[in-house]
Amino acid sequence: MSDTPDILESVINLCKRRGFIFPSADIYGGFRSTYDYGPLGVLMLRNVKNSWWRSMVQMRDDIVGLDAAILGPPAVWAASGHLATFTDPLVDCLKCKERWREDKIDGVCPKCGNTTFTESRAFNLMFKTQAGPIEGEGATAYLRPETAQGIFTNFANVLTTMRRKPPFGIAQIGKSFRNEITPQNFVFRTREFEQMEMEYFVPPAEADEWYRYWIDARYNWYLDLGIPADRLRLFEHPQHDLSHYSRGTTDVEFAYPWGWDELEGIANRGDYDLTQHSNASGQKLEFYDQAANERYTPYVIEPAAGATRAMMAFLLSAYEEEVVDGETRSVLRLDPRLAPYQVAVLPLSKKPELEATSREVLGLLRPYFMCDYDVTQSIGKRYRRQDEVGTPLCITVDFDSLDDRAVTVRDRDTMAQERIAISDLASYVIGRLAR
Ligand code: ATP
C-alpha cells in the first residue's frame, strides 16, 4: 500500500542525484515548485508519453493525434468556461498569513494549526500574458491550463481532413500551466506540467458505454506498466460534486506516500464543449450522420492524465531498497518500456582489448534500445548504479569474451547472470525486453 513519507524523500533524492529531476533555476536558489528533467528524466518522461501515445494512437484505428498551440486568445477560454469558473477558493491564515486552497485544508492551517482565515476569494488559475507589442484587451493571451480546448477548437478540422465519424478520438500530449495556489509534493502538483489528454467523440446514446470502457482501459494502462493493483483504485465522484460540464467523472487514484490522490480523471463531458465553442464561434461543430440523415453534437468522453504526475507514480511504485549480501541496494523496478536505459554495456575493465568488443556490442543494441556505456569503477558498483536507475539488463564484456565471443547478461531484478553468444545477443535482448 502507500509508502512511508521517507520513500518520497528517497525518490526525490535519487531523482536529483542521478539526473532525473532537478529543481529549476537551481544555481539561483531555485524557482519554487518548478522542475527541470535531467538526462535520465527526459528519457523516462518520453517513455511515459510514448507508452501513452502507443496505446492511444499507434495501436488503434479510431484515434488520431494533434499538437495544438499553448498560447490562446481570450475567446477560447471565455467559451470553455475557464475565464469565469476555472478558480480555486483562496484563503489566508489570519495568524501566520500563509495562503491556502480552502478545499484542501479542512479548516486548519497546515503550517500553524490556526483555524481562522480570511473570507475565501475565487482565484483564477490561468496564466495571463500579452501577445505582441500592442497594449490592451485585444492582445491578451493565456497559457492553456489544459490541452483539451485545442482539441475541441480543431474538431471540425480533424473531422473533415481525416474523414472520421463518431466514435473517434483526438489525442494530445503537451505542456499545461496553472497558477496553483499551493504547488506541492514534488512533481505531483506544479505550475507547469505535462498532460496526456484524449477527447473521444461518440453518439450521445453510446456515451455511458464508452465512459465505462475508458475508465477500464485507463486503469489497465497503469497496471500493465507496473503499478501494483493494491496501489491503484477508482473513485467515482458523487453526482452533487461534479463540475458543471460533467455527467460523470471517475478518477484513477494512486496510493502516494501521503495517501490516495488523483492520477488521472475520466469524464463524460456530454456535448458541453462543442456546444459552447459552436455558440461562441458561430461555427457548426456537429456530425452529419448520412445513413440516418441526422445531425448531432457528439458527446465527449475525456481521459485526462498527467505525464509528469504519472512518471512520479511509476517512480514511487518502482523504488525499493533491499539487503543483498549484507549491503543495501536501491533498485527501481521499472517496466523496461519506462526505464531510461534498457541496457547498459559494461566492459569488465578499462583495458583497450575490451573496448573494441564492447563497442561492437553497443553498436548491435543501440539501434533498438537506449543504452548506457560505463567503464568507470568496479563492476559491482556499476551494477548498483544501473539498478538504482532501473536499467533492466546489464551486459558485461570480459576477457573470455575475446575468445568465446559471448557476454554475460545480468538481470536487474533477480541479479541472475547468463552467458549469451554475441551473435545471438540482439535477438535475445529484443526477446527479453520488447513488448
Ligand atoms: P486537482 O483536483 O488535483 O487540482 P484536477 O482534477 O483539476 O486536479 P484535471 O483538470 O482533471 O485535474 O487534470 C487532468 C490531469 O492533469 C490530472 O489528473 C493530473 O494528472 C494532471 N494535473 C492537473 N493539474 C496538475 C498540476 N498542477 N501538476 C501536475 N499535474 C497536474
Side-chain angles (χ1 to χ4, degrees):
M1 291 292 289
S2 64
D3 308 309
T4 59
D6 295 353
I7 296 287
L8 183 60
E9 279 312 303
S10 304
V11 168
I12 294 172
N13 285 338
L14 181 126
C15 281
K16 178 151 192 217
R17 193 160 34 83
R18 300 307 313 275
F20 282 81
I21 302 175
F22 304 124
S24 206
D26 213 5
I27 60 168
Y28 292 101
F31 182 47
R32 193 172 166 234
S33 292
T34 310
Y35 295 93
D36 298 338
Y37 289 74
L40 270 67
V42 70
L43 292 173
M44 181 172 171
L45 185 57
R46 270 188 194 193
N47 290 341
V48 171
K49 292 186 281 186
N50 287 343
S51 297
W52 185 89
W53 191 265
R54 182 182 153 86
S55 77
M56 285 292 185
V57 180
Q58 187 179 333
M59 300 300 286
R60 304 183 63 102
D61 36 46
D62 55 349
I63 302 181
V64 294
L66 181 77
D67 190 5
I70 288 172
L71 278 176
V76 170
W77 308 106
S80 68
H82 283 82
L83 276 178
T85 60
F86 193 60
T87 56
D88 275 340
L90 179 136
V91 292
D92 295 334
C93 170
L94 287 176
K95 193 164 158 209
C96 74
K97 312 291 178 211
E98 196 72 25
R99 193 155 273 187
W100 302 104
R101 236 174 97 172
E102 189 186 25
D103 57 326
K104 295 278 181 194
I105 59 170
D106 287 331
V108 182
C109 175
K111 192 169 170 196
C112 72
N114 180 41
T115 53
T116 49
F117 297 90
T118 57
E119 286 280 301
S120 121
R121 287 155 288 157
F123 174 74
N124 194 294
L125 298 179
M126 279 198 296
F127 280 99
K128 189 175 180 178
T129 187
Q130 295 282 317
I134 318 138
E135 287 287 325
E137 198 47 31
T140 296
Y142 291 91
L143 300 188
R144 66 180 178 199
E146 60 175 35
T147 62
Q149 299 305 321
I151 296 179
F152 299 128
T153 56
N154 278 291
F155 170 76
N157 287 337
V158 173
L159 197 66
T160 50
T161 55
M162 303 305 291
R163 293 172 294 111
R164 294 286 146 170
K165 63 179 221 197
F168 81 99
I170 305 176
Q172 176 166 222
I173 298 176
K175 289 236 168 167
S176 293
F177 301 82
R178 296 182 187 180
N179 199 0
E180 299 278 2
I181 298 167
T182 43
Q184 61 189 346
N185 289 330
F186 196 37
V187 297
F188 175 79
R189 186 183 305 288
T190 49
R191 297 201 170 106
E192 174 178 346
F193 56 97
E194 242 176 317
Q195 288 189 305
M196 310 184 286
E197 295 192 296
M198 195 276 291
E199 309 302 321
Y200 201 69
F201 301 96
V202 302
E206 295 174 22
D208 203 50
E209 185 190 323
W210 283 112
Y211 171 59
R212 299 283 152 204
Y213 170 90
W214 282 111
I215 292 169
D216 207 39
R218 295 305 305 146
Y219 178 89
N220 283 315
W221 184 79
Y222 294 101
L223 209 57
D224 176 52
L225 284 169
I227 298 192
D230 66 358
R231 293 191 72 164
L232 279 179
R233 74 175 189 192
L234 293 172
F235 168 71
E236 182 148 22
H237 291 230
Q239 284 292 323
H240 63 265
D241 274 353
L242 293 177
S243 320
H244 57 287
Y245 55 76
S246 175
R247 289 161 184 261
T249 300
T250 296
D251 291 343
V252 179
E253 293 191 331
F254 175 71
Y256 295 90
W258 58 91
W260 291 100
D261 219 330
E262 180 174 333
L263 194 48
E264 162 160 1
I266 298 108
N268 174 355
R269 302 176 65 104
D271 61 4
Y272 175 80
D273 306 278
L274 291 180
T275 304
Q276 287 289 107
H277 284 299
S278 180
N279 291 343
S281 67
Q283 308 283 323
K284 278 206 168 65
L285 301 177
E286 303 172 326
F287 175 71
Y288 173 60
D289 182 346
Q290 248 167 347
N293 188 28
E294 66 175 22
R295 261 174 212 293
Y296 67 89
T297 304
Y299 275 23
V300 169
I301 310 302
E302 174 194 76
T308 38
R309 199 179 276 190
M311 172 166 159
M312 181 173 170
F314 287 124
L315 283 168
L316 283 167
S317 42
Y319 184 82
E320 223 172 87
E321 286 173 14
E322 63 178 15
V323 178
V324 178
D325 300 333
E327 257 187 68
T328 304
R329 83 161 180 157
S330 37
V331 52
L332 278 183
R333 298 193 194 277
L334 289 171
D335 185 284
R337 292 167 289 179
L338 299 179
Y341 301 119
Q342 282 76 54
V343 176
V345 177
L346 312 173
L348 189 65
S349 88
K350 278 186 187 154
K351 297 248 161 60
E353 306 90 283
L354 293 184
E355 165 105 12
T357 309
S358 303
R359 289 260 158 211
E360 179 193 340
V361 166
L362 183 64
L364 279 175
L365 299 173
R366 223 173 214 177
Y368 309 104
F369 300 106
M370 187 69 211
C371 298
D372 191 19
Y373 185 81
D374 188 3
V375 288
T376 56
Q377 296 191 309
S378 75
I379 194 71
K381 285 215 174 97
R382 279 181 276 163
Y383 283 153
R384 294 289 179 270
R385 272 212 296 271
Q386 296 298 335
D387 291 344
E388 200 179 40
V389 301
T391 311
L393 297 178
C394 286
I395 296 179
T396 307
V397 179
D398 54 28
F399 290 98
D400 290 341
S401 306
L402 305 180
D403 301 324
D404 68 0
R405 300 282 300 156
V407 291
T408 301
V409 180
R410 173 193 179 266
D411 182 280
R412 174 195 70 199
D413 297 330
T414 61
M415 292 179 281
Q417 305 194 0
E418 234 184 308
R419 197 81 182 159
I420 304 290
I422 293 174
S423 57
D424 298 337
L425 192 60
S427 57
Y428 171 84
V429 176
I430 289 170
R432 286 286 303 272
L433 299 183
R435 288 258 202 113

